[in-house]
Structure formats: structure tokens, C-alpha cells
Amino acid sequence: GENVEQHPSTLSVQEGDSAVIKCTYSDSASNYFPWYKQELGKGPQLIIDIRSNVGEKKDQRIAVTLNKTAKHFSLHITETQPEDSAVYFCAASASGGSYIPTFGRGTSLIVHP
Amino acid sequence: EPEVTQTPSHQVTQMGQEVILRCVPISNHLYFYWYRQILGQKVEFLVSFYNNEISEKSEIFDDQFSVERPDGSNFTLKIRSTKLEDSAMYFCASSEAYGGGEKLFFGSGTQLSVL
């Protein structure tokens, strides 16, 4: 089955800095890669996703990149703000096999004002 | 904005007891899921459910677990005889469709503590 590894487990940055979270996956059939943000006391919320037919997707201060050859994908947050502080999860799923997203371990992002 | 709601937010139980975790998925969604997260570990898939039957389940979802949609709005996870290792945050999720690349909407979770 799919295995998703996520790094780092904790990331501490100053407000205004950029933050990068990286994930790798094992199943070459995976073709959908969502990112979830979990704020304290809430469930994970989808913030951005990317499909395997594109290499990069951007939404304001958030961008995701995908390297299918290397089987890794990354979340980039620019101009970080304190409200970006949360746990971020990457996930991978395949439309041709098990549809169920496999999650990474999560990254706790702390943005210091 | 519609959301998935879960109750209770916290559940404390004695080992060997039965617990039922409750979820109300988003009303027009047809596919429902349970995930769990043991402290410090990955979010793990347990089971998916559609049209009143299980679609997929993981190795974790053994005979002590069951799911049910008792009425038109609730979706429940029952753990028959809880073990210490069942202590985790349990998330319910729902989606409009199913087939890879579907957006899952998660509830806030139920923190289960087995003593």
C-alpha cells in the first residue's frame, strides 16, 4: 500500500519568513495530493491540492509542487503570518487503486510574531 | 459553510467497555469515512462507507469495530470492547463523491481515552 513520509515534524519560523514542508510517497499510481491544515480544536481542513498532471499550483501565499519522477511533493507558504500556525498534513491517493487518501505524520508549524 | 460535526469531543472509558462515536456528515455527501490519529503518529484510515455498506476498510478495522448509519443524518463508529491502544483522536469525514481525488471534509474529532 501507499506510504507517505512527511518532514519536518516541527517547523518554527519568524513572521514574514517562508515555510516549506516536504512529503514523499511510495505508490507510483498515486495521482492526487491534498494538503490539510488542522488548527487547534478543529479537524483537518483542505487548503490546497494538486493532481499529477501538473507540476505546480499556487493560491495566494500557498503553493504546492509535485515531482512525479522523484515521488515527492511540497507545500510552500510565503510571508507567513501567526494565523498560519497549525498542523499541516500531506496526503496521497490514487484514482486507479484504493481511493482512500494516505496521510503523512503532520508538521507543526509555529509562526512567531 | 456546511461542516461535519462529531460528538462527543472527548470520551473517557474503561478498558473493555463499548463506546459509540457519533458523526453528522455534510447533508448532500454520500461517502463517509472514519480515521484515527494516535498521539504523535499518522492519521490512519479505518473505514469508508457508502450506500449503507462498507466500501473499504483497513487492517486496523477488525471485528471489534463496526459502523452504522442508523438514520438519514448520523454515522456512527462503535468499538465493542475497548483496549488501551484504542486511545486516539477519531475523525469522521465525508465527501460528495468517491473515486480518487475527492475532497474530504473532516469533523473536529473525538478524543477517546481508554483507561
Side-chain angles (χ1 to χ4, degrees):
Chain A
E2 176 66 278
N3 182 48
V4 176
E5 297 293 336
Q6 182 172 349
H7 301 279
S9 55
T10 306
L11 180 58
S12 184
V13 300
Q14 288 297 128
E15 183 176 1
D17 287 351
S18 294
V20 181
I21 302 170
K22 298 183 178 182
C23 289
T24 59
Y25 62 99
S26 60
D27 188 351
S28 56
S30 289
N31 56 7
Y32 175 65
F33 306 93
W35 285 88
Y36 288 82
K37 176 183 181 183
Q38 184 181 18
E39 296 174 318
L40 199 61
K42 298 184 179 181
Q45 303 295 317
L46 181 72
I47 56 171
I48 195 166
D49 54 16
I50 191 168
R51 298 180 190 271
S52 60
N53 56 345
V54 298
E56 184 173 357
K57 183 176 178 180
K58 193 172 181 180
D59 182 3
Q60 299 181 349
R61 296 186 296 107
I62 294 173
V64 290
T65 57
L66 171 64
N67 182 328
K68 284 208 70 180
T69 303
K71 295 197 188 73
H72 66 69
F73 56 114
S74 301
L75 177 71
H76 304 252
I77 306 174
T78 58
E79 300 171 28
T80 53
Q81 300 166 4
E83 51 265 38
D84 294 329
S85 297
V87 178
Y88 292 81
F89 294 97
C90 63
S93 69
S95 59
S98 171
Y99 306 137
I100 305 300
T102 299
F103 284 78
R105 195 179 294 267
T107 295
S108 177
L109 174 64
I110 303 165
V111 180
H112 299 279
Chain B
E1 184 176 320
E3 59 181 23
V4 176
T5 57
Q6 288 186 245
T7 55
S9 56
H10 293 86
Q11 175 86 52
V12 180
T13 190
Q14 294 291 323
M15 190 169 56
Q17 295 297 305
E18 174 183 287
V19 295
I20 298 176
L21 310 183
R22 302 180 191 279
C23 169
V24 179
I26 294 173
S27 61
N28 64 331
H29 285 186
L30 300 176
Y31 301 87
F32 316 120
Y33 312 80
W34 284 101
Y35 281 80
R36 79 173 185 190
Q37 185 180 26
I38 296 171
L39 189 64
Q41 298 187 26
K42 295 184 177 185
V43 175
E44 301 172 296
F45 168 71
L46 294 178
V47 66
S48 61
F49 190 87
Y50 168 71
N51 199 26
N52 282 321
E53 60 183 31
I54 291 172
S55 305
E56 288 189 62
K57 61 181 181 178
S58 70
E59 292 176 353
I60 303 168
F61 194 87
D62 61 21
D63 291 344
Q64 70 160 342
F65 291 94
S66 62
V67 289
E68 190 180 28
R69 187 149 165 85
D71 52 44
S73 60
N74 289 284
F75 178 51
T76 62
L77 175 69
K78 182 192 288 186
I79 309 175
R80 265 181 265 284
S81 178
T82 50
K83 304 173 199 167
L84 295 175
E85 54 265 38
D86 294 328
S87 295
M89 178 70 85
Y90 287 80
F91 292 108
C92 173
S94 67
S95 64
E96 283 185 302
Y98 191 81
E102 305 307 332
K103 297 182 180 180
L104 268 60
F105 293 80
F106 284 85
S108 300
T110 294
Q111 180 65 55
L112 175 65
S113 298
V114 181
L115 306 179

